[in-house]
Amino acid sequence: MSRTIELTLTDVSAEEHSDASVIEHAKGLAPQFKALADENRLALVLLLSEHPRTVRELTDATGLAQTLVSHHLAPLRDLGLVSVTPKGRSNVYSLCCDAFAAPMRALAGLSNPVEHNGCC
């Protein structure tokens, strides 16, 4: 079963958005950010942003037990951030869409920030 998630980037600095709509937008995004706040889930998402992987590949890459990897993938699947495709006796996990994968790859660069004019 494949899921599609629709991500819309909203310029919250635009005058056309009311404070209330920004707050509602934040409420809608909060569950996804809460899921990504866990370092194990974030590591899985960052690995999946590189390319789709099986649980075994994720287990090998993270050093986590298979049951723990599966446990952390469940909320990511429930939120539609990760999709699963059966392949033989394995399941291949991938990020829901390029609209999510590209920013995650960009965020991966924050682990080694480079100073740019006082930023970071």
Side-chain angles (χ1 to χ4, degrees):
M1 179 170 101
S2 179
R3 286 190 190 175
T4 302
I5 186 171
E6 184 175 323
L7 298 176
T8 304
L9 298 177
T10 303
D11 182 359
V12 294
S13 66
E15 291 181 30
E16 64 198 50
H17 297 286
S18 69
D19 291 345
S21 69
V22 171
I23 291 168
E24 286 303 310
H25 190 71
K27 285 180 184 178
L29 286 172
Q32 287 85 357
F33 280 101
K34 284 180 183 177
L36 295 173
D38 180 273
E39 68 182 71
N40 290 324
R41 283 191 283 267
L42 183 57
L44 295 173
V45 168
L46 292 174
L47 287 166
L48 292 174
S49 73
E50 296 172 351
H51 59 83
R53 298 171 191 248
T54 64
V55 170
R56 175 61 187 239
E57 291 170 323
L58 292 168
T59 299
D60 291 345
T62 61
L64 298 172
Q66 181 272 324
T67 54
L68 193 53
V69 168
S70 294
H71 169 78
H72 284 297
L73 286 170
L76 297 172
R77 277 193 331 263
D78 293 344
L79 289 166
L81 298 175
V82 170
S83 62
V84 60
T85 305
K87 185 175 181 184
R89 296 181 66 192
S90 298
N91 287 323
V92 177
Y93 290 85
S94 58
L95 293 187
C96 63
C97 53
D98 286 336
F100 180 56
M104 291 311 300
R105 286 190 294 269
L107 287 173
L110 292 178
S111 63
N112 297 314
V114 178
E115 290 193 30
H116 296 285
N117 300 326
C119 175
C120 307

